[in-house]
Amino acid sequence: MLCLVDGEHYLPVTQEAIDTLNNLEHIEVTAAVFIGGTEKLRDDSEESYSKVLGVPVQFAKDKEIPYNLIVEMIRKYNIDTVMDLSDEPILDYPKRFKIACKVLNEEIPYEGPDFKFEPVTQYEIMEKPAITILGTGKRIGKTAVSGFVSRLIDKNGYEPCVIAMGRGGPEEPEIVHGEELEISAKFLLEQSEKGVHAASDHWEDALMSRILTIGCRRCGGGMAGEVFLTNMRKGAKLANEIESKFVIFEGSGAAIPPIKTNKKITLIGANQPLDNLINYFGPYRIALGDLIILTMCEEPMCDEKKIKDIENFVAEINPNATIISTVFRPKPLENIEGKKVLFATTAPDSIKDKLVDYLEENYNCEVVGVTSHLSNRPLLKQDMEKYIDKVDVMLSELKAAAVDVATKDAIKAGLKVVYCDNIPVRINGNYPDLEKSVLKLVDSAIDDFKK
């Protein structure tokens, strides 16, 4: 155990606390870090502190909280857990969260008198190279990026499969042969009528990527990304048995797949509150990524200053990661040329005009109506009633109520249903090429697996 101590406590009191810890079974206090404070500090030498506490004590070299020194001590002494014996005013809540992120990124717990934060569980199951796609929140494009990555590496001969854990996933891991099945609107509606959540992430992956997917479920999401319940371990074991040679694990919301992989892609929604990204457990997730993809990088969801602020923060937290800022653009899976279209999306209402212009310019259609309420069934129904008699095609993302409302009502009205993918596109040429960056990451994951 590494202890964090301060000069606001009388030294014999801190000594008693360390002695108490050492008397506990399975605990050995190995070292301490002095993180600040002078009120009860009579002798500020490392030597005197070490002598009284009975363990090596390292002092910060300036008055700032020694975050990096804590990490150095964890590595130097092969620490298993960090115990915080300090208090206000030396550490406030933001500083403690920052320490928590640093400690959890070393894959050990950070605890205090009434709290304990643990790194996300990572089961060592995989017998094949694998990557994780995780995110800092929900509705920031994980499944869209997963589809993009899957198609790209499949096209380049890596023979991947995708494992997704959704909040509406199956009780037992479910294989969907996206490379074989004809996943039509009618087929998905039939699945929905059987009680299947046919817009679950693994169905979207199978439809958009046309590769084998494995659907899993999860419930709950902890502050650092742990899930309360998931059958993804079974899904991972299943992935070891099938013929696919490379595995992509897809997170859900801000929850992180509990399977150890070789490399990670972290998605950050530039539309998210900046405070949520730079504080709490945002830095923990950001530091996990080998490739960082910012999504939603356009006004009015964010401006250039916010994008730059996020990029600078990411570079500070994770200087070795590749950073690419992107926007999503719709891509219908079937020809809609010359058609009158009702477009259903989860994108915010504020950017619908950009999406409409893009669809009309690139796919030669007329978008008569748009609904941004794909995840709100009552409002979706209301929007569809306004336009359903004026269009030929229901164009919908495969999310939320896309099947049980949008597809069902559109087919009932005699409309053709076409599903729509979302493609990540870098915002300008100053960023690394997205495809090359993904393939480089995949090759790096394979090399890591071989080692």
Side-chain angles (χ1 to χ4, degrees):
M1 176 177 282
L2 174 70
C3 289
L4 308 184
V5 301
D6 66 35
E8 303 299 300
H9 289 82
Y10 188 43
L11 188 55
V13 176
T14 302
Q15 177 191 13
E16 182 182 356
I18 288 180
D19 289 344
T20 301
L21 288 167
N22 274 325
N23 286 331
L24 296 176
E25 190 176 2
H26 306 309
I27 296 294
E28 178 192 355
V29 178
T30 308
V33 174
F34 183 87
I35 61 171
T38 59
E39 182 179 323
K40 297 178 176 65
L41 194 64
R42 295 184 180 180
D43 183 347
D44 61 355
S45 73
E46 293 177 355
E47 183 180 353
S48 62
Y49 251 76
S50 300
K51 184 176 180 180
V52 174
L53 298 184
V55 294
V57 180
Q58 188 80 44
F59 275 47
K61 292 182 173 57
D62 51 43
K63 293 183 179 180
E64 297 296 319
I65 302 299
Y67 302 108
N68 291 333
L69 177 58
I70 294 170
V71 173
E72 289 173 16
M73 295 286 274
I74 289 170
R75 295 175 182 176
K76 180 178 179 180
Y77 290 99
N78 195 26
I79 296 298
D80 300 305
T81 189
V82 173
M83 170 61 76
D84 194 336
L85 295 178
S86 70
D87 195 5
E88 295 272 1
I90 305 306
L91 290 183
D92 55 18
Y93 300 129
K95 290 173 182 174
R96 275 188 159 150
F97 272 109
K98 191 168 182 179
I99 290 174
C101 290
K102 292 282 189 180
V103 173
L104 265 58
N105 281 128
E106 296 300 305
E107 300 183 357
I108 63 171
Y110 169 57
E111 57 185 303
D114 63 357
F115 68 87
K116 184 174 184 178
F117 293 120
E118 299 190 57
V120 173
T121 301
Q122 296 284 275
Y123 294 109
E124 295 192 32
I125 293 174
M126 294 314 298
E127 299 169 6
K128 301 175 181 179
I131 62 171
T132 296
I133 299 176
L134 62 103
T136 54
K138 184 174 173 64
R139 294 276 180 263
I140 60 171
K142 282 183 299 300
T143 305
V145 169
S146 177
F148 171 82
V149 170
S150 302
R151 288 190 302 274
L152 174 65
I153 65 176
D154 184 50
K155 183 177 70 175
N156 283 272
Y158 291 90
E159 300 181 45
C161 72
V162 178
I163 306 180
M165 58 173 191
R167 295 176 229 215
E171 184 175 359
E172 291 294 325
E174 176 182 42
I175 291 179
V176 177
H177 286 278
E179 78 283 20
E180 298 175 2
L181 276 175
E182 181 183 348
I183 307 176
S184 64
K186 183 179 178 182
F187 174 83
L188 289 175
L189 185 56
E190 288 172 354
Q191 300 303 309
S192 177
E193 289 171 346
K194 292 176 185 176
V196 173
H197 179 39
S200 192
D201 292 343
H202 69 293
W203 283 105
E204 182 180 354
D205 286 323
L207 175 62
M208 304 302 171
S209 304
R210 292 300 184 185
I211 66 170
L212 187 149
T213 70
I214 300 175
C216 301
R217 61 169 47 176
R218 67 98 175 178
C219 185
M223 295 176 70
E226 186 78 13
V227 296
F228 174 73
L229 174 149
T230 184
N231 53 6
M232 199 174 234
R233 287 179 72 182
K234 287 185 178 180
K237 291 176 181 177
L238 195 56
N240 284 332
E241 298 171 4
I242 60 178
E243 292 183 0
S244 299
K245 295 180 180 178
F246 192 91
V247 185
I248 302 164
F249 287 91
E250 183 183 317
S252 172
I256 300 173
I259 310 298
K260 187 172 184 178
T261 59
N262 303 100
K263 296 292 175 181
K264 291 180 174 64
I265 299 174
T266 296
L267 265 63
I268 301 172
N271 60 326
Q272 295 179 272
L274 190 61
D275 192 49
N276 290 357
L277 300 175
I278 66 176
N279 294 309
Y280 314 112
F281 286 103
Y284 171 61
R285 292 174 172 85
I286 290 169
L288 292 175
D290 300 283
L291 171 61
I292 310 288
I293 301 177
L294 272 63
T295 63
M296 322 288 190
C297 295
E298 60 185 325
E299 294 184 340
M301 293 185 288
C302 68
D303 56 24
E304 288 185 12
K305 181 181 183 305
K306 185 178 180 183
I307 295 169
K308 188 54 65 179
D309 286 344
I310 296 173
E311 290 174 350
N312 289 339
F313 180 73
V314 171
E316 176 187 341
I317 293 295
N318 193 348
N320 296 321
T322 300
I323 307 169
I324 305 174
S325 293
T326 66
V327 295
F328 286 118
R329 289 296 178 257
K331 180 183 179 182
L333 299 186
E334 298 180 44
N335 186 9
I336 58 171
E337 185 175 354
K339 302 295 184 182
K340 294 182 178 180
V341 172
L342 170 57
F343 178 41
T345 176
T346 54
D349 196 60
S350 58
I351 66 161
K352 69 179 183 182
D353 291 341
K354 291 182 180 180
L355 302 182
V356 168
D357 290 344
Y358 184 86
L359 283 167
E360 290 183 338
E361 290 173 11
N362 288 273
Y363 298 99
N364 195 24
C365 63
E366 179 187 354
V367 180
V368 176
V370 180
T371 174
S372 297
H373 295 128
L374 201 51
S375 56
N376 186 318
R377 284 167 171 77
L379 293 180
L380 175 61
K381 280 182 170 289
Q382 289 179 23
D383 288 346
M384 289 185 67
E385 288 172 3
K386 295 178 191 175
Y387 302 108
I388 205 160
D389 295 330
K390 304 173 184 177
V391 299
D392 310 306
V393 171
M394 178 82 220
L395 178 65
S396 177
E397 297 170 353
L398 188 57
K399 296 181 182 298
V403 179
D404 59 322
V405 176
T407 297
K408 183 178 181 180
D409 290 0
I411 289 177
K412 186 177 179 181
L415 302 184
K416 179 180 176 61
V417 177
V418 175
Y419 294 116
C420 180
D421 198 356
N422 282 298
I423 308 298
V425 180
R426 60 180 176 170
I427 56 177
N428 61 56
N430 295 326
Y431 296 92
D433 182 273
L434 185 55
E435 292 192 358
K436 290 180 180 178
S437 298
V438 169
L439 292 175
K440 182 179 178 180
L441 181 80
V442 170
D443 286 337
S444 179
I446 292 171
D447 290 342
D448 183 72
F449 174 79
K450 288 177 180 178
K451 291 175 184 177

